[in-house]
Amino acid sequence: SGRSSSLDEFESGRAVDTALEWLGFIDAGKKEFFFAHDNTPSGPLSWDEVEEIAEEFPEGYLSTSGSKFWVPMDLMRVARAA
C-alpha cells in the first residue's frame, strides 16, 4: 500500500504553521526559497522569483534553506493572502 498524496490532519496543521513562519522571509526579500516541480528543485530564490516559476508550474512545492519540509505552493499563496 502506497502513501496517499493528500495531507492528513496533523500534516495539514504543520504545513499551515510552516507557511506562516516562512512569510517573514518574503517580507525580508531574502533568497531563502527553493521551488520544486516534477522532482526538480530550483534555488535559492527570492519570493518574486518563486512567483515567476510558479506561474508556469502552479502545482509546485516550496521549501526554505535548512528546512526539511516542502509546502504546496497553493498553501503559501493562501497564507500570503490572509
Side-chain angles (χ1 to χ4, degrees):
S1 74
R3 177 162 164 73
S4 169
S5 63
S6 63
L7 300 176
D8 65 26
E9 187 175 333
F10 173 78
E11 291 169 326
S12 294
R14 180 67 182 141
V16 169
D17 290 345
T18 300
L20 293 173
E21 179 183 326
W22 292 351
L23 290 178
F25 295 139
I26 296 170
D27 295 335
K30 295 181 178 180
K31 286 195 171 203
E32 291 284 331
F33 296 102
F34 291 84
F35 187 86
H37 59 88
D38 297 329
N39 294 320
T40 305
S42 301
L45 305 165
S46 69
W47 180 254
D48 290 340
E49 292 168 322
V50 166
E51 286 188 316
E52 285 179 28
I53 295 171
E55 285 180 22
E56 188 174 346
F57 304 101
E59 300 293 319
Y61 288 82
L62 198 65
S63 189
T64 60
S65 298
S67 178
K68 62 181 178 179
F69 300 108
W70 288 87
V71 173
M73 187 61 193
D74 288 347
L75 180 62
M76 281 300 293
R77 286 190 183 110
V78 169
R80 179 110 163 101

